[in-house]
Amino acid sequence: MSNKVKSEKIKPAETVRPFTAVILAAGKGTRMKSPLPKVLHPVAGEPMINNVVKACLEAGVTDVRVVIGHGGPLVKQVIEPLGVHCYTQVQQFGTANAVKSAQIESLEGDVVILNGDHPLLEASDLKSFIQTFREEKLDLAVVTVELRQPKDFGRIVRHQGRVVAIVEAKDASADTLKIREVNTGIYVVRGDVLSEYLPQIENNNMKQEFYLTDLVSLCVESQLKVAPIRGHKRVSFGVNTQAELAQATRLVFRKKSKTLLDEGVLMLDPSTTYIERSVEVGPGAVIYPNVYLRGKTKLASFCVIEPNCYIVDSEVGESTQIRAGSYLEKAKVHNRCVVGPYARLRPETEIMDEAQVGNFVELKKVKFGKKSKAAHLTYLGDAEIGENVNIGCGTITCNYSADKKKYRTVIGNGVFVGSDTQFVAPINVGDFAVIGSGSTITKDVPARSLAVARAKQFIKENYVKVEAAETDQASDSASGADK
Ligand code: UD1
Ligand code: CA
């Protein structure tokens, strides 16, 4: 070890410093064998890097910088709206070179360095790292975990109990490879320390890359305060293959299920219930197996979601039942309703209290009034249905016209729509009107009136000539005669 001394430029820690972050995401992700940039692969429905960014923001990081490279423009498009700044690393010369690309001289305060492909990281992890870093007045901290099979991770080499270096598996001796304490790839470092020591890193190693891990030995040699911080195993979980991606997703789902169970949600089989992190479920809700809940979905207390339902960005009210096999997208179902089995609610559909939407009913952009029913085989689109309306089986709104525009159907309160009715929109039906079955309604129907628009029934008697013998046979079987 050389005898360099602590540099003049390193000032003592002030009390409140900003907390900033650099996320490394320029790598190719060759082993994913997929054309999508690695960090955009979804873990439980969300690009994995989004979770890392969100953890930073939630932990109070004021300046999040992401180093992009492979698939950069696409990555940038996805993450910039979250409020981060992207920096391009032109060629992947190693993790130290990647950090350098983020214009670190302008980073203030304490800097956390992370990998974009470690999607299980949580805000609470970051908060505890920064807290320990500050409490112990460190200059550099490396987050470590102990693994039974440390595989390719960089090994934490200690001397008399203190960390002195990180050695990459590829550069390690057989003895070093036996070390089970590894580098998670997460570091916390004072901004000024980073600016001073990062440029000193060299690339004399097996891969001829600039290793960020060398920051540890450089700082130790300069007698700065370097220490490991022990992290939860999840922070070391990196995604490099499709199998690891699937495993990450499974872990996120499992954790979400556990959280919901702890909060009083009833789940018949949590291992086959797929609920994204962002979903909210009230206590007392019942979720059957094979249910998939996504995005901004919110389920109120005491609702029941039967098997094989797929619900995305939708709200389900209290004591509402969503029966088996239903598909809801950007829909809102209020309280005490019954939907399905096999119903499809498309965007901008709102179902008011105590309404019933039965099997093979598709609704799109529909406001469906309180206590109204559409029990079977119906399509309603661009429609407003009042309260206490009965929509008969096989009713269709013909909302899409030959002029390629869409028109609305408005049906008042208490209307009775007979089965197999078509409304050729635009149409208004007044309160309490009755529509005869099989009608094709092309004109507005006034309140309390009856509208029938179907061909009149026509009867021609003795239309079919039958042989005398057949008549005999028919009358025999009709009378149940035993021959
Ligand atoms: C790195 C660490 C290792 C640690 C492991 C934890 C180094 C030298 N080694 O190894 O000690 O145990 O992480 O996962 O740092 N990246 C760039 N530009 C580059 C190279 C990498 O942006 O030029 C990004 C990658 O996209 C990835 C991260 O940096 O997000 C880590 O790079 P990777 O090559 O996976 O490092 P490891 O070999 O896993
Ligand atoms: Ca890695």
Side-chain angles (χ1 to χ4, degrees):
M1 223 183 285
S2 81
N3 290 323
K4 282 187 226 165
V5 286
K6 194 164 177 166
S7 159
E8 294 296 292
K9 285 189 219 162
I10 309 300
K11 298 177 219 91
E14 299 121 35
T15 36
V16 182
R17 298 188 299 256
F19 181 22
T20 55
V22 177
I23 301 174
L24 306 186
K28 195 164 182 187
T30 315
R31 284 187 287 158
M32 296 302 284
K33 299 196 176 157
S34 146
L36 190 68
K38 173 161 84 168
V39 292
L40 295 187
H41 282 73
V43 168
E46 191 161 30
M48 64 175 107
I49 191 161
N50 286 22
N51 187 54
V52 181
V53 169
K54 285 181 180 173
C56 288
L57 297 173
E58 204 187 313
V61 174
T62 48
D63 181 355
V64 181
R65 303 186 180 188
V66 182
V67 179
I68 55 174
H70 281 283
L74 201 57
V75 177
K76 190 173 167 159
Q77 206 181 323
V78 172
I79 60 175
E80 256 185 358
L82 300 176
V84 307
H85 298 101
C86 293
Y87 295 82
T88 302
Q89 183 194 23
V90 183
Q91 265 191 300
Q92 275 71 62
F93 290 134
T95 42
N97 177 259
V99 174
K100 216 170 159 187
S101 315
Q103 292 178 10
I104 46 167
E105 322 74 57
S106 61
L107 270 176
E108 290 183 358
D110 301 323
V111 185
V112 57
I113 301 172
L114 309 150
N115 291 333
D117 57 359
H118 284 218
L120 304 184
L121 175 88
E122 294 177 11
S124 60
D125 295 317
L126 289 175
K127 281 186 196 158
S128 83
F129 302 155
I130 189 77
Q131 195 185 343
T132 310
F133 179 82
R134 286 177 175 171
E135 277 171 5
E136 297 185 8
K137 297 193 165 50
L138 301 177
D139 294 309
L140 170 65
V142 50
V143 177
T144 69
V145 295
E146 203 160 302
L147 298 177
R148 233 172 290 154
Q149 296 182 318
K151 293 186 195 156
D152 295 338
F153 281 90
R155 305 298 201 270
I156 302 295
V157 179
R158 290 174 182 255
H159 179 69
Q160 292 175 342
R162 311 184 72 153
V163 60
V164 289
I166 300 173
V167 177
E168 288 307 286
K170 285 192 191 68
D171 301 305
S173 67
D175 269 351
T176 306
L177 283 175
K178 285 184 197 145
I179 298 173
R180 285 169 44 190
E181 187 186 9
V182 302
N183 171 22
T184 60
I186 301 172
Y187 314 81
V188 190
V189 57
R190 291 176 53 105
D192 46 5
V193 171
L194 185 65
S195 301
E196 183 171 353
Y197 290 91
L198 193 73
Q200 297 179 26
I201 291 175
E202 292 171 0
N203 65 345
N204 43 11
N205 50 55
M206 285 292 284
K207 282 170 86 184
Q208 295 207 308
E209 280 187 1
F210 296 89
Y211 286 171
L212 182 57
T213 47
D214 288 350
L215 199 59
V216 170
S217 45
L218 279 173
C219 289
V220 168
E221 283 167 22
S222 296
Q223 293 163 22
L224 295 183
K225 211 168 170 199
V226 182
I229 296 178
R230 205 37 88 81
H232 188 280
K233 254 186 201 151
R234 64 175 167 259
V235 305
S236 68
F237 188 100
V239 171
N240 297 299
T241 62
Q242 297 293 343
E244 283 165 354
L245 181 72
Q247 200 185 341
T249 291
R250 201 163 52 240
L251 290 169
V252 170
F253 283 146
R254 200 177 293 167
K255 178 152 193 206
K256 180 72 179 183
S257 292
K258 190 181 174 304
T259 306
L260 293 177
L261 289 170
D262 289 346
E263 290 170 3
V265 173
L266 288 80
M267 239 176 258
L268 278 74
D269 181 5
S271 66
T272 61
T273 307
Y274 311 95
I275 306 178
E276 290 180 5
R277 275 183 279 222
S278 46
V279 171
E280 294 172 30
V281 185
V286 180
I287 303 176
Y288 278 80
N290 261 338
V291 166
Y292 206 131
L293 306 176
R294 307 200 52 189
K296 297 182 195 125
T297 294
K298 282 187 191 155
L299 307 185
S301 292
F302 314 119
C303 71
V304 178
I305 313 294
E306 290 189 358
N308 303 322
C309 286
Y310 182 91
I311 304 181
V312 49
D313 297 336
S314 297
E315 288 178 40
V316 176
E318 270 190 30
S319 305
T320 282
Q321 293 178 43
I322 307 293
R323 292 195 171 152
S326 295
Y327 190 110
L328 278 62
E329 190 185 356
K330 295 191 175 128
K332 186 168 180 177
V333 184
H334 288 261
N335 305 324
R336 300 177 301 283
C337 296
V338 180
V339 171
Y342 309 107
R344 178 165 183 212
L345 305 186
R346 291 172 54 197
E348 292 181 58
T349 290
E350 184 172 6
I351 304 204
M352 309 312 284
D353 289 350
E354 292 166 51
Q356 288 182 34
V357 172
N359 38 225
F360 308 108
V361 173
E362 175 181 349
L363 305 185
K364 190 216 73 181
K365 262 195 185 181
V366 173
K367 185 162 180 196
F368 198 76
K370 194 175 168 185
K371 292 190 173 172
S372 288
K373 290 180 188 169
H376 350 254
L377 297 155
T378 286
Y379 169 67
L380 304 175
D382 300 290
E384 193 176 326
I385 314 294
E387 298 181 0
N388 288 303
V389 171
N390 183 77
I391 302 282
C393 174
T395 297
I396 294 170
T397 55
C398 310
N399 55 328
Y400 186 54
S401 160
D403 62 9
K404 304 207 164 151
K405 288 187 186 142
K406 290 189 177 151
Y407 294 95
R408 285 174 66 71
T409 299
V410 179
I411 295 178
N413 296 329
V415 170
F416 182 93
V417 179
S419 295
D420 192 26
T421 293
Q422 299 103 58
F423 292 102
V424 181
I427 284 288
N428 274 284
V429 178
D431 292 348
F432 302 105
V434 174
I435 312 288
S437 291
S439 293
T440 300
I441 301 295
T442 55
K443 293 187 199 116
D444 286 355
V445 180
R448 295 175 191 275
S449 56
L450 166 69
V452 184
R454 61 183 177 220
K456 279 214 171 104
Q457 186 165 321
F458 163 95
I459 304 255
K460 184 169 181 185
E461 289 189 357
N462 298 320
Y463 175 66
V464 180
K465 305 274 182 286
V466 286
E467 298 299 323
E470 283 180 17
T471 317
D472 288 343
Q473 212 174 18
S475 60
D476 279 349
S477 57
S479 61
D482 194 2
K483 281 201 176 175

